[in-house]
Structures are given as C-alpha cells and as structure tokens.
Amino acid sequence: MGKVTNVLLVGVGGQGTIMVSTVLTHGLIEAGYDVKMSEVHGMAQRGGSVTTQVRFGETVYSPIIGRGQGDVLTAFETMEALRILEALKPDGKVIVNDYRIPPMPVIAGEAPYPEGLIGILQKAADTSVIDAASIAGKLGNTKVMNVVLLGALLKVLNLAEIDWESILKRVIKPQFFDVNLQALRAGMAAV
Amino acid sequence: MKQLLSGNEAAARGAWEAGLAYASAYPGTPSTEILENLSDYKEVTAEWAPNEKAALESAIGASIGGVRALAAMKHVGVNVAADPMFTFAYMGVNGGMVLISADDPGMHSSQNEQDNRHYARFAKIPMLEPSDSQECLEMMKEAFVISETYDTMVLYRMTTRVCHSRSLVVTGDRLTANPPAYRREREKYDAVPAISRILRVKLEGRIDRLRTYSENCAFNRIEDNGSQTGVITSGISYCYAKEIFGDSVSYLKLGFTHPLPMNLIRNFAGKVSTLYVIEELEPFIEEQIRTAGIACVGKDKLPAMGEFDPDTVARSLLGRENPTIAFDKALLVDRPPTLCAGCPHRPFFYELGKRKNTIICGDIGCYGLGGSAPLNAKDLCICMGSSFSVAHGMARAVETRRDERRTVAVMGDSTFFHTGINSLINILYNHSNVIAVILDNRVTAMTGHQENPGTGHKLQGEVSDVMDIGTIARALGAKHVRQVNPMRLDEMRSAIDWAYGIQGEPVVLITRWPCIFKKLSDEEKREFPQEQRGCAVNEGKCIGCKLCVRTGCPALSYEAADKKARVDAVQCTGCGVCVQVCPKQAIA
C-alpha cells in the first residue's frame, strides 16, 4: 500500500475551509492521486469548530483519520489548531493562522481567550505561523485569508509545481480571480 | 473521466442514470444535497415536500403512476414517513421506487442516532448500504432494478460520512426506464383489510426471493486474502476496516444487507478461525449472525453507539493507540455553534430570555441555538413540529398543578409547514394557554437555505404561491395573531408583553425577518431593507458594561485589557441589535 498523506483543515464555520479543500482536491486529482475528502454540514457549521479532512495517495480507503494520523494541519484560527492537535502525528506539521475568533464563552465573558497558544504550538510541533489576515488585508480583501493559507499548505506539501493558476481559474469567479491568485502566491512565499 | 463527488451527489447521479423521473424530499442533514443535485437534471422533476411523509407519499404515487421515483430524508424523517412506508411495502411498485434514509451516527446535526437499518427488517423491504461515492452511484442504479424485478420499494441507507465524503467516481449515461403505464389494480394498491391480508402473505414470498438474490448479489462479495481472520462489514465501516487491516485479513463486504446472505456468511465464517463483525451503531448484522449459530466478535469489543473512525476499529479490536502530541487541554475554551451575526432570531431570544417564570418549548432548526448562553431562552426540544403540542401538554400540567409559569413555544417557518401546522391546530382546537411563536426567517435556513411553502419558490426555481402564516393561523380560528419585526427590540418587547397579557387562550406571534444569508428578491429587498455598513464601538463612550455582548452576537467581544466592547468588522452585518441595547449610544 502506497503512502497516504493526511491533511487536516480546521477553523470556525464560515471561514472557507471547504472552498480551500475543494481547490486542493482538484489539483490532487489532476496530479493523478486517489483522493478522499470529508466535510461538515448542518448545525455544526453555525460558528462552531469545523474540520475538513483531505487524504491522498495511491489508494485511500477511509475518508477520515483517527488520532495521531495527520501529516499536515492547517488551522484558520489559532485555538482551533490546539483543539485538533491530537489528530496530528508527533512529527506532523502545523500551519497556523495568527488570527483569533473569540468563541461564545469568551464573548459572554465566562472565560478569557487563552494566551500564548502560538508558543505552545511551536513547542509541541513543527509549526509555521502565518499572519494571513495582514497578508490578505494588504491585497485589499481580508476574505482571501483562506487562500493565503492554502498557498502555505501547498508549499509545505511540496505540491507547488501543480498548475494551481488554472485550477483557481476554474473554481473562482472571474472578478475574484486576480486577488485569489495573489493570495495563493503570497501564502506560498510566507513559509 | 473520474469526478470527485460526495455520496449525495453520486446517489443523485445514479438515480438520474437509472432513468429517474420524480423525486421528493424534505431537507435534513445529511440528506439535503441529494435533492439539490437532482434538481439540476432537467429530465427529473425534483420537489421539496412540506414533510417526509408527504415526500414519500408523492414518490409512491409517482411509482404507482408509472415512473421511477425516489424520496430522500434524514433518519428521523423516516419516522415521519413510516406510516406510508409500512403499507406500501405490502403493495410493491409499478415504476421502481427507492427510499433514501441518511442516518447520522454521532449526531453531527441531529437529535438522535437511531439506526434505520432496523426499518428494513421491520417493514420487510430490501436494503442497500453504500460505502463510498462510486457505490452510491452503482447501488442506486441496482436499487431500481431490484425494485422493479422483485416488485418492492428499496431502502437505500446512507450515513453522514458516506453522504458528505467525496471520492472519485466514474459516471455513466442515462438509461431509458420504461415502467408500465398505470392501470387499476385494486388487489395490489387498495389497502383495505381484505386486500391487505392477501398482500401480507405475498410479502413473505417476496422476502424469500430476495434472500436468494442476496446470496448472489455482486455487492455481497468476498475478498479472500487467505487469512485465518475474517471481517464481515458494511457501509462506511468497510473503509475503516480496510484502513486498519489492509490485506492482512479476508473480508465479506456486504452491500445488500437485508435480507442477509446467510449461506454466504456461513461459508465465509467456515474459512476463518476468528470472525469480526464491524458495523457502526447497532449490532444489526451481528445479531442475525449469532442467531444463526455462528460465533463472532462484534459489539462485545466494538461500541454500539457513536460514530466510528479508523481508531475505533484499531483500539477496540487490536488494542492499538497511535502516539499523539501531548498538550494541556485545560487551555481550550469550547466553541459551540451560535446564531450567526445578523440572525433575526437573536433579538427575539434576547427579549424572551429576560422573562421570568417562563417555560420555553423549542423545536428543530437554527433557533435551537437560542438555548445556549448568553441567551438561555429554551427549556426543551423533541422533534420537528412538536413545540406547540408539547407546550400544550406542559400548559395543561402547569394548570393542574396550579403553577404560575407561562408556557411559550417556538418554531421556525419551515418547521411550521412541516408538522407544526398540526400542532397549531391542536392548540387552537383545545383552547390552549400557550404563546405560540413562529420565527419566520423566510427560508429553511439550517439545512442551507431551501425554499418552502412560505417562500414563494419551488426547488427547481419555479414561482409558487406564498402561504402566509398569519393568514393560515387566522383561518384556523386563532383570535390573537400578531406579526412583528424582530429587529426592532422595542417592538419585539411590546409584542411579547402583549402575548403575556392574554391569558387562557392561544396566542400566535410571528416574527418576520429574513435569514441574513438568504438571497433576497427585489420585492424582499423592499420589504426588508438591509443595512449597507457594519457597526463600530465609539471607545470614548463605551463604559464596558457588557450589555451588548449579552446578545450573544459572535461579531461582538469584550476586551478585558481596556474594558471596552469590540465589533469584528469582518463578521458584523450592521443588523443594529447591539446599537439598541447599548445604554450609552456607544455603538453606531
């Protein structure tokens, strides 16, 4: 059985994890991999923690992995990286967005947003920190934060040579193509 | 060319390739995208029904009428549709007929995790269980063949991970299905007792013939790896078993799981010294294997509840745990789902949650989130359309016990049309002392913004007549009906005051404002003018009282460092609820 690579994309409902997974899987299929992807729908999406899993290799059986099996974790929100950390292999890689979305207990003043999470992640795993909000902001559209993170992920996965430009062109509406392509390149350059 | 399709997309594609002509459903996670995908095929009439019973009945009528038909629903929807299902099982079909049950192990988005495979045995109908998207397509095509060959409705059972996982699929062309035209056959389709007694006997003969089919069905196959360990498995569990055991064990992979191929199972069991039965949720296959006197390892080691993953198999059967990265879990703060920024349910729950001596009966939908902190505006919830009736019984109990508390019931527009309308009839007919609130956000929101009888559009885009909830309530005899714009807190508050002021008679209060994510028509844009800009906190005026964050808006937060509220510009929709709550006019 050939090696299967396990990618975890985590964030908060509405951050665009599914869109990133969709672009990623398009490229992986073109590169000739067997691919499986698992996503979350329904109530869980409403501002809760969301996880999308993408697995690729020669033959992929399960669409999801268990604990300690992830190769690369991309977290769109800082605390969500920690929440799913047990899914990662001890030598797995973390790409973490230095971006906080306070959960309801924090908003309601019941708990503080924990401090020092980036440092904890860096100590626990091979971690790349991306300030995707600033990068996206400089490109003029904070919403492309997710594609910045995709760029970083593709670089870490050594998949940068796939023709992502033409894949983006197919997946993204023409009026948003340029800014998304810039975001992808900026993300690749950020790790 | 292979395509990456979700199980739901592949099931829809398979039905289209099988020559499907008619499909009906009520949306429900994880089944919703089946009908949404079918709606894109011009050869198929795809419709939302107000509930699952109506959906199944429509599909039954289409089948008897001479076309291939299906109904799709989530697991709990089959409970609603169970009445026609059990009797149609006696009759058999004309055009092929498939009932899709999408179960939700682990309750990602459901109130229970019932294992609907039991319905296949209960109703004595054949069942298929796909494991991945390719099987979703192929099994759907075979389901229609089984249905017409054996003259029976087929239960096609999916689970969340099959519905919402994507895998590569080879698609095919559409076949021409030519079921016979309808002709009157009362002895087949008129379920009066004298006829049903005859159909009941025929049902046994049909299930016997299906036992033979099951022994030879290509979806029940042995993967012989020459091992002394054998695994019998079905559905998504097959993927997990393959992930953990690879080719080190032999498999009996079951795709047609009712009736089971007991001879095939016996032969397979005879070739191995250890037999595992790996199935998610109930021991549906295992119990039948044990009853046949075949020894196996199953739920004595594997859990009979919750969703599986590959770890469940490795841990339970091999005692194997992967090493993980250790960290202090106490650092984590929960992130429960919340009502979205700009949600029209928030101002209603904000006002209702402040009322003392109130029992709040909830229902199924986004507004179920109104029970969480800081809104805390819900006591209970059972099932779709239940809240008015549950509140009615509650109010009767409260009266009997001379309790002073008021009973308020809450449900959404789509839930009202689903079965809530029967609940409303119940409270009006029985003169209930209940405040019945319908949160009309103009769309079926939770499942991803589907049309419903109140929206004026159908699934495939055609215009329909708008059913107005207030008009319906009045037509049913409601004397106290009021509609309010929930986004105006003062109006919302006085409407609740008005409702509390009416004692001993049912009150119907309708909040009407669209879901923040609904795509509005020009007409709706006129009725519901939307703010074009978000809100911001004037830090000079903010006194850090935290009243605004008590609305539970995810765009708001309180910074302990400078004791000021903050608005997240990315999330804020400018709904203005916090603006109305702020005592210092610090938000604008």
Side-chain angles (χ1 to χ4, degrees):
Chain A
M1 194 167 60
K3 186 185 171 322
V4 173
T5 303
N6 304 318
V7 180
L8 295 151
L9 297 129
V10 301
V12 177
Q15 276 196 292
T17 48
I18 289 182
M19 179 270 186
V20 162
S21 323
T22 304
V23 175
L24 174 63
T25 54
H26 271 85
L28 292 167
I29 293 165
E30 282 199 6
Y33 291 107
D34 185 21
V35 180
K36 285 193 177 172
M37 167 181 165
S38 191
E39 51 194 56
V40 178
H41 293 234
M43 184 180 243
Q45 280 179 297
R46 301 276 176 266
S49 301
V50 292
T51 304
T52 302
Q53 305 193 14
V54 176
R55 309 191 68 212
F56 64 96
E58 196 183 312
T59 305
V60 180
Y61 291 116
S62 171
I64 56 168
I65 58 167
R67 286 151 40 104
Q69 288 292 286
D71 292 289
V72 181
L73 160 62
T74 305
F76 290 42
E77 198 276 348
T78 306
M79 184 161 50
E80 295 312 306
L82 203 63
R83 197 184 305 283
I84 195 99
L85 199 60
E86 282 195 333
L88 202 64
K89 290 175 183 167
D91 62 349
K93 290 180 179 167
V94 177
I95 299 163
V96 61
N97 191 9
D98 188 2
Y99 186 75
R100 294 177 172 194
I101 299 176
M104 197 44 67
V106 172
I107 289 172
E110 292 164 10
Y113 191 102
E115 293 298 330
L117 295 185
I118 296 272
I120 291 165
L121 284 165
Q122 283 171 322
K123 212 178 268 179
D126 177 357
T127 300
S128 307
V129 183
I130 310 279
D131 187 356
S134 301
I135 295 172
K138 278 177 201 153
L139 297 172
N141 186 346
T142 49
K143 288 193 174 156
V144 299
M145 196 154 63
N146 59 343
V147 179
V148 173
L149 292 162
L150 172 64
L153 172 63
L154 297 176
K155 182 80 178 295
V156 168
L157 286 171
N158 289 319
L159 293 171
E161 77 283 0
I162 294 173
D163 183 6
W164 296 104
E165 186 172 336
S166 71
I167 291 158
L168 274 186
K169 209 163 238 166
R170 260 180 285 148
V171 175
I172 292 183
K173 284 183 188 163
Q175 67 267 38
F176 298 116
F177 170 73
D178 283 338
V179 68
N180 276 285
L181 182 63
Q182 286 171 31
L184 189 82
R185 287 181 179 152
M188 284 179 179
V191 282
Chain B
M1 151 99 190
K2 287 185 176 183
Q3 300 175 49
L4 192 71
L5 299 182
S6 71
N8 284 346
E9 288 169 336
R13 174 77 192 192
W16 174 81
E17 289 184 12
L20 183 83
Y22 181 79
S24 184
Y26 182 77
T29 313
S31 71
T32 311
E33 300 82 9
I34 299 167
L35 259 275
E36 288 184 325
N37 280 283
L38 279 171
S39 75
D40 292 335
Y41 295 108
K42 64 180 189 321
E43 299 90 343
V44 177
T45 299
E47 296 177 335
W48 294 129
N51 64 44
E52 294 86 353
K53 179 173 181 285
L56 180 56
E57 289 157 348
S58 303
I60 287 171
S63 162
I64 297 173
V67 298
R68 287 191 167 182
L70 75 73
M73 53 201 67
K74 68 184 292 172
H75 58 333
V76 287
V78 182
N79 302 334
V80 179
D83 193 358
M85 177 184 74
F86 277 91
T87 303
F88 188 58
Y90 279 30
M91 294 175 177
V93 302
N94 186 22
M97 162 76 205
V98 176
L99 166 59
I100 303 177
S101 171
D103 297 8
D104 191 15
M107 295 167 274
H108 292 272
S109 201
S110 304
Q111 63 269 42
N112 76 31
E113 62 169 8
Q114 63 186 55
D115 188 334
N116 275 7
R117 294 180 300 169
H118 288 304
Y119 268 127
R121 282 190 95 187
F122 197 3
K124 298 177 186 287
I125 51 176
M127 173 167 62
L128 289 158
E129 280 188 78
S131 296
D132 62 18
S133 299
Q134 186 71 52
E135 283 194 349
C136 283
L137 184 145
E138 286 165 12
M139 285 190 185
M140 183 59 78
K141 292 168 83 168
E142 181 66 8
F144 283 99
V145 175
I146 296 167
S147 178
E148 288 176 3
T149 307
Y150 292 89
D151 191 20
T152 174
M153 167 176 46
V154 174
L155 182 64
Y156 179 98
R157 191 258 190 175
M158 309 172 81
T159 56
T160 301
R161 289 295 169 187
V162 173
C163 293
H164 289 161
S165 292
R166 294 173 184 276
S167 57
L168 292 167
V169 177
V170 180
T171 57
D173 297 326
R174 181 170 164 93
L175 308 169
T176 311
N178 270 321
Y182 171 72
R183 64 181 178 89
R184 180 182 281 186
E185 281 181 275
R186 283 195 57 229
E187 68 283 8
K188 182 169 159 71
Y189 297 124
D190 188 6
V192 294
I195 293 173
S196 288
R197 283 183 210 114
I198 297 164
L199 294 175
R200 174 70 188 85
V201 177
K202 286 186 175 172
L203 184 59
E204 294 304 315
R206 183 186 297 144
I207 213 81
D208 274 341
R209 289 191 293 282
L210 284 161
R211 272 190 195 98
T212 308
Y213 167 84
S214 184
E215 298 290 351
N216 303 301
C217 174
F219 293 118
N220 291 338
R221 60 163 205 271
I222 290 174
E223 292 175 26
D224 189 350
N225 292 317
S227 170
Q228 278 300 299
T229 303
V231 168
I232 297 179
T233 184
S234 72
I236 192 70
S237 304
Y238 168 72
C239 303
Y240 303 152
K242 287 286 279 191
E243 186 73 30
I244 297 304
F245 292 109
D247 294 336
S248 70
V249 301
S250 295
Y251 296 88
L252 172 54
K253 200 281 191 193
L254 297 177
F256 184 87
T257 49
H258 187 255
L260 285 172
M262 290 313 300
N263 291 330
L264 189 64
I265 290 170
R266 201 180 301 280
N267 290 342
F268 181 73
K271 286 185 197 165
V272 296
S273 55
T274 304
L275 181 64
Y276 292 131
V277 179
I278 303 177
E279 56 186 326
E280 203 172 48
L281 297 182
E282 303 275 328
F284 175 82
I285 297 170
E286 180 184 337
E287 280 183 352
Q288 296 180 69
I289 290 177
R290 288 186 191 275
T291 304
I294 301 164
C296 61
V297 176
K299 296 301 180 187
D300 41 344
K301 295 221 168 158
L302 287 153
M305 65 176 91
E307 189 182 35
F308 278 13
D309 65 18
D311 267 4
T312 317
V313 176
R315 188 171 53 244
S316 306
L317 298 181
L318 303 174
R320 198 171 80 200
E321 298 264 11
N322 298 318
T324 56
I325 299 169
F327 69 96
D328 181 7
K329 282 179 199 159
L331 282 166
L332 293 171
V333 181
D334 278 349
R335 190 183 297 276
T338 59
L339 294 173
C340 306
C343 175
H345 302 329
R346 172 169 294 103
F348 164 72
F349 283 119
Y350 177 75
E351 286 301 330
L352 182 65
K354 291 195 284 193
R355 305 287 159 150
K356 302 277 183 260
N357 293 321
T358 298
I359 301 163
I360 305 167
C361 299
D363 216 301
I364 307 285
C366 294
Y367 47 89
L369 299 168
S372 313
L375 294 166
N376 303 316
K378 186 172 67 170
D379 285 78
L380 58 90
C381 167
I382 312 287
C383 66
M384 285 289 292
S386 65
S387 69
F388 296 171
S389 291
V390 172
H392 172 62
M394 177 72 81
R396 286 283 180 263
V398 163
E399 282 161 18
T400 305
R401 296 176 62 95
R402 301 184 189 287
D403 192 326
E404 294 297 306
R405 284 175 285 186
R406 279 309 296 268
T407 312
V408 177
V410 175
M411 74 170 68
D413 50 335
S414 193
T415 307
F416 173 74
F417 291 113
H418 180 277
T419 37
I421 193 166
N422 303 60
S423 235
L424 179 62
I425 291 168
N426 186 25
I427 65 169
L428 294 172
Y429 174 57
N430 287 305
H431 298 288
S432 184
N433 187 24
V434 162
I435 299 171
V437 186
I438 298 156
L439 303 173
D440 181 5
N441 64 353
R442 315 298 305 131
V443 76
T444 310
M446 171 70 88
T447 44
H449 306 94
Q450 289 74 30
E451 305 292 347
N452 69 49
T455 66
H457 287 89
K458 295 168 55 177
L459 171 57
Q460 289 177 307
E462 312 96 309
V463 172
S464 185
D465 298 316
V466 175
M467 294 187 200
D468 179 70
I469 295 170
T471 307
I472 292 169
R474 286 186 195 92
L476 293 175
K479 292 189 197 76
H480 311 285
V481 182
R482 189 180 276 193
Q483 185 171 294
V484 62
N485 172 4
M487 306 312 288
R488 295 291 307 267
L489 278 180
D490 50 350
E491 289 176 22
M492 191 68 251
R493 197 177 309 126
S494 72
I496 295 175
D497 286 342
W498 163 81
Y500 272 69
I502 299 164
Q503 284 281 1
E505 287 189 322
V507 183
V508 177
L509 178 58
I510 302 158
T511 69
R512 183 177 160 100
W513 196 265
C515 171
I516 193 72
F517 292 116
K518 185 179 183 188
K519 270 192 181 160
L520 302 183
S521 65
D522 290 341
E523 197 183 333
E524 284 174 317
K525 280 177 192 161
R526 282 191 292 278
E527 185 183 350
F528 309 109
Q530 302 291 305
E531 269 305 322
Q532 294 306 313
R533 60 178 198 90
C535 300
V537 177
N538 179 332
E539 291 181 10
K541 287 186 179 176
C542 177
I543 55 168
C545 69
K546 299 195 224 176
L547 276 178
C548 57
V549 297
R550 282 195 213 156
T551 62
C553 178
L556 280 164
S557 57
Y558 175 75
E559 285 293 331
D562 61 0
K563 297 193 171 124
K564 302 285 179 194
R566 290 272 194 290
V567 174
D568 174 8
V570 178
Q571 289 192 71
C572 178
T573 65
C575 78
V577 169
C578 59
V579 174
Q580 299 169 68
V581 168
C582 179
K584 294 288 172 189
Q585 288 82 46
I587 314 176

